[in-house]
Amino acid sequence: MVAAIPFWTIDGTIDLAALAPEDMTAGILGSTLAKINRFNGRAREPWSVAAHSLLVASLCPPDLRPWALLHDAHEAFIGDMTDPAVEFLCLCGTRSAVEHAIANAKGRLDRLIGAAWKVPVRSMNTALRAADHAALLAEAWHLLGHRPDLPDRSLADAVDRATRFLQDHDALLDWRQARHEWLGHVQLYASRGLMSPPAAHPDPSSMVLAG
């Protein structure tokens, strides 16, 4: 039996080893992802995982956009592990063990989220991965001043599109706006039957006891 892993949250303590669908509602994920900063906050301004997810969705074909909103939702539970952080962990341990553990953790959480939201997990889809990479390069350029190397025309075009999105969506630098727009997209896709966010825990104070 796996030992419980208590995880303190504003909604109460949850068990990270036994997550339930009500631990990953739209409100919980949207609010959390909007408060987690990309690049561990080492950018000119805060840019959240929720905002990043909206950017990636904008670069994806329509059928991938529901999962694009959720492709980094596992970070609501394990944080945003940057590539340099992973490299440092590998330096301090065994690379194969570190990479295996991280991949398994992300995969396990992705499957739980996909099942709870009734959305196919598309994290390894080639088009989604390309959109995620283009978003990363544009964010690094726009927020860190790190000019990307663009070896081919298709990547350059995708980075151009991502850069225009960043320039046109400064409002998403506000985490509340990022949360609002992320939830708005969730509502849109849910209304089209493309996802079904799980319901929240019932509020005990609103329950009427039978006589």
Side-chain angles (χ1 to χ4, degrees):
M1 182 176 179
V2 179
I5 306 175
F7 184 1
W8 295 349
T9 82
I10 194 170
D11 304 295
T13 301
I14 62 176
D15 183 0
L16 193 56
L19 292 172
E22 54 265 30
D23 296 325
M24 52 188 77
T25 65
I28 289 172
L29 293 186
S31 183
T32 305
L33 296 177
K35 296 174 190 171
I36 298 175
N37 287 330
R38 296 273 289 165
F39 306 108
N40 283 344
R42 301 296 293 269
R44 66 174 178 83
E45 294 193 64
W47 181 253
S48 70
V49 175
H52 164 77
S53 299
L54 290 165
L55 168 55
V56 173
S58 76
L59 301 174
C60 282
D63 65 304
L64 291 175
R65 289 172 187 167
W67 182 253
L69 286 183
L70 296 168
H71 81 282
D72 278 339
H74 52 255
E75 295 178 5
F77 302 101
I78 58 173
D80 183 6
M81 286 185 276
T82 64
D83 288 344
V86 172
E87 284 298 313
F88 185 73
L89 290 173
C90 292
L91 181 67
C92 298
T94 304
R95 174 174 294 276
S96 60
V98 170
E99 292 180 342
H100 184 71
I102 292 173
N104 280 356
K106 290 181 177 180
R108 176 174 174 175
L109 289 168
D110 283 351
R111 290 188 293 274
L112 287 171
I113 293 165
W117 282 64
K118 297 180 175 57
V119 179
V121 176
R122 310 289 297 277
S123 298
M124 301 309 293
N125 178 276
T126 301
L128 191 146
R129 289 169 64 88
D132 195 25
H133 182 57
L136 169 64
L137 295 179
E139 289 166 341
W141 192 1
H142 188 70
L143 298 164
L144 301 176
H146 180 79
R147 189 178 184 87
D149 179 23
L150 304 174
D152 62 75
R153 186 68 257 171
S154 62
L155 179 58
D157 288 344
V159 171
D160 283 346
R161 290 171 56 203
T163 300
R164 288 196 298 272
F165 181 99
L166 291 166
Q167 293 169 342
D168 294 342
H169 291 79
D170 270 354
L172 293 179
L173 293 169
D174 182 335
W175 73 267
R176 293 172 181 83
Q177 184 64 25
R179 176 184 62 185
H180 175 75
E181 292 203 23
W182 190 90
L183 290 172
H185 279 68
V186 167
Q187 185 177 28
L188 173 64
Y189 295 138
S191 71
R192 295 176 177 175
L194 300 175
M195 56 172 43
S196 181
H201 282 288
D203 182 356
S205 66
S206 66
M207 298 175 67
V208 177
L209 298 177

Coordinates of all heavy atoms in Angstrom, one line a residue, residues 73-165:
A73 N -1.1 20.7 -16.8 CA -1.9 20.7 -15.5 C -1.3 19.9 -14.4 O -1.6 20.2 -13.2 CB -3.3 20.2 -15.8
H74 N -0.4 18.9 -14.7 CA 0.2 18.2 -13.7 C 1.1 19.1 -12.8 O 1.4 18.8 -11.7 CB 1.1 17.1 -14.3 CG 2.1 17.5 -15.3 ND1 1.9 17.3 -16.7 CD2 3.2 18.2 -15.3 CE1 2.9 17.8 -17.4 NE2 3.7 18.4 -16.5
E75 N 1.5 20.3 -13.4 CA 2.3 21.2 -12.6 C 1.5 21.8 -11.4 O 2.2 22.3 -10.5 CB 2.9 22.3 -13.5 CG 3.8 21.7 -14.5 CD 4.4 22.7 -15.5 OE1 4.2 23.9 -15.3 OE2 5.1 22.3 -16.4
A76 N 0.2 21.7 -11.4 CA -0.6 22.1 -10.3 C -0.3 21.3 -9.0 O -0.6 21.7 -7.9 CB -2.1 22.1 -10.6
F77 N 0.3 20.1 -9.3 CA 0.6 19.2 -8.2 C 2.1 19.0 -7.9 O 2.5 18.7 -6.8 CB 0.0 17.8 -8.4 CG -1.5 17.9 -8.6 CD1 -2.1 17.9 -9.9 CD2 -2.4 18.1 -7.5 CE1 -3.4 18.1 -10.1 CE2 -3.7 18.2 -7.7 CZ -4.3 18.2 -9.0
I78 N 2.9 19.1 -9.0 CA 4.4 18.9 -8.8 C 5.2 20.1 -9.2 O 6.5 20.0 -9.1 CB 4.9 17.6 -9.5 CG1 4.6 17.7 -11.0 CG2 4.3 16.4 -8.9 CD1 5.2 16.6 -11.8
G79 N 4.6 21.2 -9.5 CA 5.3 22.4 -9.9 C 5.9 22.3 -11.3 O 5.8 21.3 -12.0
D80 N 6.5 23.4 -11.7 CA 7.1 23.6 -13.1 C 8.5 23.3 -12.9 O 9.3 24.2 -12.5 CB 6.8 25.0 -13.6 CG 7.4 25.1 -15.0 OD1 7.8 24.1 -15.6 OD2 7.3 26.2 -15.6
M81 N 9.0 22.1 -13.3 CA 10.4 21.7 -13.2 C 11.1 22.1 -14.5 O 10.9 21.5 -15.6 CB 10.5 20.2 -13.0 CG 10.2 19.8 -11.5 SD 10.5 18.1 -11.2 CE 9.0 17.4 -11.8
T82 N 11.9 23.2 -14.4 CA 12.6 23.7 -15.6 C 13.6 22.7 -16.1 O 14.1 21.8 -15.3 CB 13.2 25.0 -15.3 OG1 14.2 24.8 -14.3 CG2 12.2 26.0 -14.9
D83 N 14.0 22.8 -17.3 CA 15.1 21.9 -17.8 C 16.4 22.0 -17.0 O 17.0 21.0 -16.7 CB 15.3 22.1 -19.3 CG 14.2 21.7 -20.2 OD1 13.4 20.9 -19.7 OD2 14.1 22.1 -21.4
P84 N 16.8 23.2 -16.7 CA 18.0 23.3 -15.9 C 17.9 22.7 -14.5 O 18.8 22.1 -14.0 CB 18.3 24.9 -15.7 CG 17.6 25.4 -16.9 CD 16.4 24.6 -17.2
A85 N 16.7 22.8 -13.9 CA 16.4 22.1 -12.6 C 16.6 20.6 -12.7 O 17.2 19.9 -11.9 CB 15.1 22.5 -12.1
V86 N 16.0 20.1 -13.8 CA 16.1 18.6 -14.1 C 17.6 18.2 -14.3 O 18.0 17.2 -13.7 CB 15.3 18.2 -15.3 CG1 15.5 16.7 -15.6 CG2 13.8 18.4 -15.0
E87 N 18.3 19.0 -15.0 CA 19.7 18.7 -15.2 C 20.5 18.8 -13.9 O 21.4 17.9 -13.7 CB 20.3 19.8 -16.2 CG 20.0 19.5 -17.6 CD 20.5 18.2 -18.1 OE1 21.7 17.8 -17.9 OE2 19.7 17.5 -18.8
F88 N 20.1 19.7 -13.0 CA 20.8 19.8 -11.7 C 20.5 18.5 -10.9 O 21.4 18.0 -10.2 CB 20.4 21.0 -11.0 CG 21.1 21.2 -9.7 CD1 22.4 21.6 -9.7 CD2 20.5 21.0 -8.4 CE1 23.1 21.8 -8.5 CE2 21.2 21.2 -7.2 CZ 22.5 21.6 -7.3
L89 N 19.2 18.1 -10.9 CA 18.9 16.9 -10.2 C 19.6 15.7 -10.8 O 20.1 14.8 -10.0 CB 17.4 16.6 -10.3 CG 16.4 17.6 -9.6 CD1 15.0 17.3 -10.0 CD2 16.6 17.5 -8.1
C90 N 19.8 15.6 -12.1 CA 20.6 14.5 -12.7 C 22.1 14.6 -12.2 O 22.7 13.5 -12.0 CB 20.5 14.6 -14.2 SG 18.9 14.2 -14.9
L91 N 22.6 15.8 -12.1 CA 23.9 16.0 -11.6 C 24.1 15.5 -10.2 O 25.2 14.9 -9.8 CB 24.3 17.5 -11.7 CG 25.7 17.9 -11.2 CD1 26.7 17.4 -12.2 CD2 25.8 19.4 -11.1
C92 N 23.1 15.6 -9.4 CA 23.1 15.1 -8.0 C 22.7 13.7 -7.8 O 22.7 13.2 -6.7 CB 22.2 16.1 -7.2 SG 22.7 17.8 -7.2
G93 N 22.2 13.0 -8.8 CA 21.8 11.7 -8.7 C 22.1 10.9 -10.0 O 23.0 11.2 -10.7
T94 N 21.3 9.9 -10.2 CA 21.4 9.1 -11.4 C 20.5 9.5 -12.5 O 19.3 9.6 -12.3 CB 21.1 7.6 -11.1 OG1 22.0 7.1 -10.0 CG2 21.4 6.7 -12.3
R95 N 21.0 9.9 -13.7 CA 20.2 10.5 -14.7 C 19.0 9.6 -15.1 O 17.9 10.1 -15.2 CB 21.0 10.8 -16.0 CG 20.2 11.3 -17.1 CD 21.1 11.7 -18.3 NE 21.9 12.9 -18.0 CZ 21.4 14.1 -18.1 NH1 20.2 14.4 -18.5 NH2 22.2 15.2 -17.8
S96 N 19.2 8.4 -15.3 CA 18.1 7.5 -15.7 C 17.0 7.4 -14.6 O 15.9 7.4 -15.0 CB 18.7 6.1 -16.0 OG 19.3 5.5 -14.8
A97 N 17.5 7.4 -13.4 CA 16.5 7.3 -12.3 C 15.7 8.6 -12.2 O 14.4 8.6 -12.0 CB 17.1 7.0 -11.0
V98 N 16.3 9.8 -12.3 CA 15.7 11.1 -12.2 C 14.7 11.2 -13.4 O 13.5 11.6 -13.2 CB 16.7 12.2 -12.2 CG1 16.0 13.6 -12.4 CG2 17.5 12.2 -10.9
E99 N 15.2 11.0 -14.6 CA 14.3 11.2 -15.8 C 13.2 10.2 -15.8 O 12.0 10.6 -16.2 CB 15.2 11.1 -17.0 CG 16.2 12.2 -17.2 CD 17.0 12.0 -18.5 OE1 17.0 10.9 -19.0 OE2 17.6 13.0 -18.9
H100 N 13.4 9.0 -15.3 CA 12.3 8.0 -15.3 C 11.3 8.4 -14.3 O 10.1 8.3 -14.5 CB 13.0 6.6 -14.9 CG 12.0 5.5 -14.9 ND1 11.5 5.0 -16.0 CD2 11.4 4.8 -13.8 CE1 10.6 4.0 -15.7 NE2 10.6 3.9 -14.4
A101 N 11.7 8.9 -13.1 CA 10.7 9.3 -12.0 C 9.9 10.4 -12.5 O 8.7 10.5 -12.3 CB 11.5 9.6 -10.8
I102 N 10.5 11.5 -13.1 CA 9.8 12.6 -13.6 C 8.8 12.3 -14.7 O 7.6 12.7 -14.6 CB 10.8 13.7 -14.0 CG1 11.6 14.3 -12.9 CG2 10.0 14.9 -14.7 CD1 12.7 15.2 -13.2
A103 N 9.3 11.5 -15.6 CA 8.4 11.1 -16.7 C 7.2 10.3 -16.2 O 6.0 10.5 -16.6 CB 9.2 10.3 -17.8
N104 N 7.4 9.4 -15.3 CA 6.4 8.5 -14.7 C 5.4 9.4 -13.9 O 4.2 9.2 -14.0 CB 6.9 7.4 -13.8 CG 7.4 6.2 -14.6 OD1 7.3 6.2 -15.8 ND2 8.0 5.3 -13.9
A105 N 5.9 10.4 -13.1 CA 5.0 11.2 -12.3 C 4.1 12.1 -13.2 O 2.9 12.2 -13.0 CB 5.9 12.1 -11.4
K106 N 4.7 12.7 -14.3 CA 3.9 13.5 -15.2 C 2.9 12.6 -15.9 O 1.7 13.0 -16.1 CB 4.8 14.2 -16.2 CG 5.7 15.3 -15.6 CD 6.5 15.9 -16.7 CE 7.3 17.1 -16.2 NZ 8.2 17.8 -17.2
G107 N 3.3 11.4 -16.4 CA 2.4 10.5 -17.1 C 1.3 10.1 -16.2 O 0.1 10.0 -16.7
R108 N 1.6 9.8 -15.0 CA 0.5 9.3 -14.0 C -0.5 10.4 -13.8 O -1.7 10.2 -13.9 CB 1.1 8.9 -12.7 CG 0.1 8.5 -11.6 CD 0.9 7.9 -10.4 NE -0.1 7.6 -9.3 CZ 0.3 7.1 -8.2 NH1 1.5 6.7 -8.0 NH2 -0.6 6.9 -7.2
L109 N 0.0 11.6 -13.6 CA -0.9 12.8 -13.3 C -1.7 13.1 -14.6 O -2.9 13.4 -14.5 CB -0.1 14.0 -12.8 CG 0.4 13.9 -11.4 CD1 1.4 15.0 -11.1 CD2 -0.7 13.9 -10.4
D110 N -1.0 13.1 -15.7 CA -1.7 13.4 -17.0 C -2.9 12.4 -17.2 O -4.0 12.8 -17.6 CB -0.8 13.3 -18.2 CG 0.1 14.5 -18.3 OD1 -0.1 15.5 -17.6 OD2 1.0 14.4 -19.2
R111 N -2.7 11.1 -16.9 CA -3.7 10.1 -17.1 C -4.9 10.3 -16.1 O -6.1 10.2 -16.5 CB -3.2 8.7 -16.9 CG -2.3 8.3 -18.1 CD -1.9 6.8 -18.0 NE -1.1 6.5 -16.8 CZ 0.3 6.6 -16.8 NH1 0.9 7.0 -17.9 NH2 0.9 6.3 -15.7
L112 N -4.6 10.7 -14.9 CA -5.6 11.0 -13.9 C -6.4 12.2 -14.3 O -7.7 12.2 -14.2 CB -5.0 11.3 -12.5 CG -4.4 10.0 -11.8 CD1 -3.6 10.5 -10.5 CD2 -5.6 9.1 -11.4
I113 N -5.7 13.3 -14.8 CA -6.4 14.5 -15.2 C -7.3 14.2 -16.4 O -8.4 14.6 -16.5 CB -5.4 15.6 -15.4 CG1 -4.7 16.0 -14.1 CG2 -6.1 16.8 -16.1 CD1 -3.5 16.9 -14.3
G114 N -6.7 13.5 -17.4 CA -7.4 13.2 -18.6 C -8.7 12.4 -18.3 O -9.7 12.7 -18.9
A115 N -8.6 11.4 -17.4 CA -9.8 10.6 -17.1 C -10.8 11.5 -16.4 O -12.0 11.4 -16.6 CB -9.3 9.4 -16.2
A116 N -10.3 12.3 -15.4 CA -11.3 13.1 -14.7 C -12.0 14.2 -15.5 O -13.2 14.5 -15.3 CB -10.5 13.8 -13.5
W117 N -11.3 14.7 -16.5 CA -11.9 15.7 -17.4 C -12.5 15.1 -18.7 O -13.0 15.9 -19.5 CB -10.7 16.7 -17.8 CG -10.4 17.7 -16.7 CD1 -9.9 17.4 -15.5 CD2 -10.6 19.1 -16.8 NE1 -9.8 18.6 -14.8 CE2 -10.2 19.6 -15.6 CE3 -11.1 20.0 -17.8 CZ2 -10.2 21.0 -15.3 CZ3 -11.1 21.3 -17.5 CH2 -10.7 21.8 -16.3
K118 N -12.3 13.8 -18.9 CA -12.8 13.1 -20.1 C -12.2 13.7 -21.4 O -12.9 14.0 -22.3 CB -14.4 13.2 -20.1 CG -15.0 12.4 -19.0 CD -16.5 12.5 -19.0 CE -17.1 11.6 -17.9 NZ -16.7 11.9 -16.6
V119 N -10.9 13.9 -21.3 CA -10.2 14.4 -22.5 C -9.0 13.5 -22.8 O -8.3 13.1 -21.9 CB -9.6 15.8 -22.2 CG1 -8.8 16.4 -23.3 CG2 -10.6 16.8 -21.8
P120 N -8.9 13.1 -24.0 CA -7.8 12.2 -24.4 C -6.4 12.8 -24.1 O -6.2 14.0 -24.4 CB -7.9 11.9 -25.9 CG -9.3 12.3 -26.2 CD -9.7 13.4 -25.2
V121 N -5.5 12.1 -23.5 CA -4.2 12.6 -23.2 C -3.4 12.7 -24.5 O -3.2 11.6 -25.1 CB -3.5 11.7 -22.1 CG1 -2.0 12.2 -21.9 CG2 -4.3 11.7 -20.8
R122 N -2.9 13.8 -24.9 CA -2.2 14.0 -26.2 C -0.9 14.6 -26.0 O -0.3 15.2 -26.9 CB -3.1 15.0 -27.0 CG -4.6 14.6 -27.2 CD -4.8 13.4 -28.0 NE -4.4 13.5 -29.4 CZ -5.1 14.1 -30.3 NH1 -6.3 14.6 -30.0 NH2 -4.7 14.2 -31.6
S123 N -0.3 14.4 -24.8 CA 1.0 15.1 -24.5 C 2.1 14.7 -25.4 O 3.0 15.5 -25.7 CB 1.4 14.7 -23.0 OG 0.5 15.2 -22.1
M124 N 2.1 13.5 -26.0 CA 3.2 13.1 -26.9 C 2.8 13.4 -28.4 O 3.6 13.0 -29.3 CB 3.4 11.6 -26.7 CG 3.8 11.2 -25.3 SD 5.2 12.3 -24.6 CE 6.5 11.7 -25.7
N125 N 1.7 14.0 -28.6 CA 1.4 14.3 -30.0 C 2.4 15.3 -30.6 O 2.8 16.2 -30.0 CB 0.0 15.0 -30.0 CG -0.5 15.4 -31.4 OD1 -0.1 16.5 -31.9 ND2 -1.3 14.5 -32.1
T126 N 2.8 15.0 -31.9 CA 3.9 15.7 -32.5 C 3.5 17.2 -32.7 O 4.4 18.1 -32.4 CB 4.2 15.1 -33.9 OG1 4.6 13.7 -33.7 CG2 5.3 15.9 -34.6
A127 N 2.3 17.5 -33.1 CA 1.9 18.9 -33.3 C 1.8 19.6 -32.0 O 2.2 20.8 -31.9 CB 0.5 18.9 -34.0
L128 N 1.4 19.0 -30.9 CA 1.3 19.7 -29.6 C 2.7 19.9 -29.1 O 3.0 21.0 -28.6 CB 0.5 18.9 -28.6 CG 0.2 19.6 -27.3 CD1 -1.2 19.2 -26.8 CD2 1.2 19.4 -26.3
R129 N 3.6 19.0 -29.3 CA 5.0 19.2 -28.8 C 5.7 20.3 -29.6 O 6.4 21.1 -29.0 CB 5.7 17.8 -28.9 CG 5.3 16.8 -27.9 CD 5.9 15.4 -28.2 NE 7.3 15.4 -28.1 CZ 8.0 15.2 -27.0 NH1 7.4 15.0 -25.9 NH2 9.3 15.2 -27.0
A130 N 5.4 20.4 -30.9 CA 5.9 21.4 -31.7 C 5.4 22.8 -31.2 O 6.2 23.8 -31.2 CB 5.6 21.2 -33.2
A131 N 4.1 22.9 -30.9 CA 3.5 24.1 -30.4 C 4.1 24.5 -29.1 O 4.4 25.7 -28.8 CB 2.0 24.0 -30.3
D132 N 4.3 23.5 -28.2 CA 4.9 23.8 -26.9 C 6.3 24.3 -27.0 O 6.7 25.2 -26.3 CB 4.9 22.5 -26.1 CG 5.1 22.7 -24.6 OD1 4.8 23.8 -24.1 OD2 5.6 21.7 -23.9
H133 N 7.1 23.7 -28.0 CA 8.5 24.2 -28.2 C 8.5 25.6 -28.7 O 9.3 26.4 -28.3 CB 9.2 23.2 -29.1 CG 10.6 23.5 -29.4 ND1 11.5 23.6 -28.4 CD2 11.3 23.8 -30.6 CE1 12.7 23.9 -28.9 NE2 12.6 24.0 -30.2
A134 N 7.6 25.9 -29.7 CA 7.6 27.2 -30.3 C 7.2 28.2 -29.2 O 7.8 29.4 -29.2 CB 6.6 27.3 -31.5
A135 N 6.3 27.9 -28.4 CA 5.9 28.8 -27.3 C 7.0 29.0 -26.3 O 7.3 30.2 -25.9 CB 4.7 28.2 -26.5
L136 N 7.8 28.0 -26.0 CA 8.9 28.2 -25.1 C 10.0 29.1 -25.7 O 10.5 30.0 -25.0 CB 9.6 26.8 -24.9 CG 11.0 26.8 -24.2 CD1 10.9 27.4 -22.8 CD2 11.6 25.4 -24.2
L137 N 10.3 29.0 -27.0 CA 11.3 29.8 -27.6 C 10.8 31.3 -27.7 O 11.6 32.2 -27.4 CB 11.5 29.3 -29.1 CG 12.2 28.0 -29.2 CD1 12.4 27.6 -30.6 CD2 13.5 27.9 -28.4
A138 N 9.5 31.5 -28.0 CA 9.0 32.8 -28.0 C 8.9 33.5 -26.6 O 9.2 34.7 -26.5 CB 7.5 32.8 -28.6
E139 N 8.6 32.7 -25.6 CA 8.6 33.2 -24.3 C 10.0 33.6 -23.8 O 10.2 34.6 -23.2 CB 8.0 32.1 -23.3 CG 6.5 31.9 -23.5 CD 6.0 30.7 -22.8 OE1 6.8 29.8 -22.6 OE2 4.7 30.6 -22.6
A140 N 10.9 32.7 -24.1 CA 12.3 33.0 -23.7 C 12.8 34.3 -24.4 O 13.6 35.1 -23.8 CB 13.2 31.8 -24.1
W141 N 12.4 34.5 -25.6 CA 12.8 35.7 -26.4 C 12.1 36.9 -25.8 O 12.7 38.0 -25.5 CB 12.5 35.5 -27.8 CG 13.1 36.6 -28.8 CD1 13.9 37.6 -28.4 CD2 12.9 36.6 -30.2 NE1 14.3 38.3 -29.5 CE2 13.7 37.7 -30.6 CE3 12.2 35.8 -31.1 CZ2 13.8 38.1 -32.0 CZ3 12.3 36.2 -32.5 CH2 13.1 37.3 -32.9
H142 N 10.8 36.8 -25.6 CA 10.0 38.0 -25.2 C 10.2 38.3 -23.7 O 10.2 39.5 -23.4 CB 8.5 37.6 -25.4 CG 7.6 38.8 -25.2 ND1 7.5 39.9 -26.1 CD2 6.6 39.0 -24.3 CE1 6.6 40.7 -25.7 NE2 6.0 40.2 -24.6
L143 N 10.4 37.3 -22.9 CA 10.5 37.6 -21.4 C 11.9 37.5 -20.9 O 12.1 38.1 -19.8 CB 9.6 36.5 -20.7 CG 8.1 36.6 -21.1 CD1 7.4 35.3 -20.6 CD2 7.4 37.8 -20.4
L144 N 12.8 36.9 -21.6 CA 14.2 36.8 -21.1 C 15.2 37.5 -22.0 O 16.4 37.7 -21.6 CB 14.6 35.3 -20.9 CG 13.7 34.4 -20.0 CD1 14.2 33.0 -20.1 CD2 13.8 34.9 -18.6
G145 N 14.8 37.8 -23.2 CA 15.7 38.4 -24.1 C 16.7 37.4 -24.7 O 17.7 37.8 -25.3
H146 N 16.3 36.1 -24.7 CA 17.1 35.0 -25.2 C 16.7 34.8 -26.7 O 15.7 34.1 -26.9 CB 17.0 33.8 -24.4 CG 17.8 32.6 -24.9 ND1 19.2 32.5 -24.6 CD2 17.5 31.5 -25.6 CE1 19.6 31.4 -25.2 NE2 18.6 30.8 -25.8
R147 N 17.5 35.2 -27.6 CA 17.1 35.1 -29.0 C 17.2 33.6 -29.5 O 18.2 33.0 -29.3 CB 18.0 36.0 -29.9 CG 17.5 36.1 -31.4 CD 18.4 37.0 -32.2 NE 17.9 37.2 -33.5 CZ 17.0 38.1 -33.9 NH1 16.5 38.9 -33.0 NH2 16.6 38.1 -35.1
P148 N 16.1 33.1 -30.0 CA 16.1 31.7 -30.4 C 16.9 31.4 -31.7 O 17.0 32.2 -32.6 CB 14.6 31.3 -30.5 CG 14.0 32.6 -31.0 CD 14.8 33.7 -30.3
D149 N 17.4 30.2 -31.8 CA 17.9 29.7 -33.0 C 16.8 29.0 -33.8 O 16.2 28.1 -33.3 CB 19.0 28.6 -32.7 CG 19.6 28.1 -34.0 OD1 19.6 28.7 -35.0 OD2 20.2 27.0 -33.9
L150 N 16.5 29.5 -35.0 CA 15.3 29.0 -35.8 C 15.9 28.3 -37.0 O 16.0 29.0 -38.1 CB 14.4 30.1 -36.1 CG 13.9 30.9 -34.8 CD1 13.0 32.1 -35.2 CD2 13.1 29.9 -33.9
P151 N 16.1 27.0 -37.0 CA 16.8 26.4 -38.1 C 15.9 26.1 -39.3 O 16.4 25.9 -40.4 CB 17.3 25.1 -37.5 CG 16.3 24.8 -36.4 CD 16.0 26.1 -35.9
D152 N 14.6 26.2 -39.2 CA 13.7 25.9 -40.3 C 12.6 26.9 -40.3 O 12.2 27.5 -39.3 CB 13.2 24.5 -40.3 CG 12.4 24.1 -39.1 OD1 11.2 24.6 -39.1 OD2 12.9 23.4 -38.2
R153 N 11.9 27.0 -41.5 CA 10.9 28.0 -41.8 C 9.6 27.7 -40.9 O 9.0 28.7 -40.4 CB 10.5 28.0 -43.2 CG 9.6 29.1 -43.7 CD 10.2 30.4 -43.6 NE 9.7 31.2 -42.5 CZ 10.2 32.3 -42.0 NH1 11.2 32.9 -42.7 NH2 9.7 32.9 -41.0
S154 N 9.3 26.5 -40.8 CA 8.0 26.1 -40.1 C 8.2 26.5 -38.6 O 7.2 27.1 -38.0 CB 7.7 24.7 -40.2 OG 8.7 23.9 -39.6
L155 N 9.3 26.3 -38.0 CA 9.5 26.7 -36.6 C 9.6 28.2 -36.5 O 9.0 28.8 -35.6 CB 10.8 26.1 -36.1 CG 11.2 26.5 -34.6 CD1 10.1 26.0 -33.7 CD2 12.5 25.8 -34.2
A156 N 10.2 28.9 -37.4 CA 10.3 30.3 -37.4 C 8.8 30.9 -37.5 O 8.5 31.9 -36.8 CB 11.1 30.9 -38.5
D157 N 8.0 30.3 -38.3 CA 6.6 30.8 -38.5 C 5.9 30.6 -37.2 O 5.1 31.5 -36.8 CB 5.9 30.1 -39.6 CG 6.4 30.5 -41.0 OD1 7.1 31.6 -41.1 OD2 6.1 29.8 -42.0
A158 N 6.0 29.5 -36.5 CA 5.3 29.2 -35.3 C 5.8 30.1 -34.2 O 5.0 30.6 -33.4 CB 5.6 27.7 -34.9
V159 N 7.1 30.4 -34.1 CA 7.6 31.3 -33.1 C 7.1 32.8 -33.4 O 6.8 33.5 -32.5 CB 9.2 31.3 -33.1 CG1 9.7 32.4 -32.2 CG2 9.6 30.0 -32.6
D160 N 7.0 33.1 -34.7 CA 6.4 34.4 -35.0 C 5.0 34.5 -34.5 O 4.6 35.6 -33.9 CB 6.4 34.7 -36.5 CG 7.8 35.0 -37.0 OD1 8.7 35.4 -36.2 OD2 8.0 35.0 -38.3
R161 N 4.2 33.5 -34.7 CA 2.8 33.5 -34.3 C 2.7 33.6 -32.7 O 1.9 34.3 -32.2 CB 2.1 32.2 -34.7 CG 1.8 32.1 -36.2 CD 1.3 30.8 -36.6 NE 0.1 30.4 -35.8 CZ -0.3 29.1 -35.6 NH1 0.4 28.1 -36.1 NH2 -1.4 28.9 -34.9
A162 N 3.6 32.8 -32.1 CA 3.6 32.9 -30.6 C 4.1 34.2 -30.1 O 3.5 34.7 -29.1 CB 4.6 31.8 -30.1
T163 N 5.0 34.9 -30.8 CA 5.5 36.2 -30.4 C 4.4 37.2 -30.5 O 4.2 38.1 -29.6 CB 6.7 36.6 -31.2 OG1 7.8 35.6 -31.0 CG2 7.2 38.0 -30.8
R164 N 3.6 37.1 -31.6 CA 2.5 38.0 -31.8 C 1.4 37.8 -30.7 O 0.9 38.8 -30.2 CB 1.8 37.8 -33.2 CG 2.7 38.4 -34.3 CD 1.9 38.5 -35.6 NE 1.4 37.2 -36.1 CZ 2.1 36.4 -36.9 NH1 3.3 36.7 -37.3 NH2 1.5 35.3 -37.3
F165 N 1.2 36.6 -30.3 CA 0.3 36.3 -29.2 C 0.8 37.0 -27.9 O 0.0 37.6 -27.2 CB 0.2 34.8 -29.0 CG -0.8 34.4 -27.9 CD1 -2.1 34.0 -28.2 CD2 -0.4 34.4 -26.5 CE1 -3.0 33.6 -27.2 CE2 -1.2 34.0 -25.5 CZ -2.5 33.6 -25.8

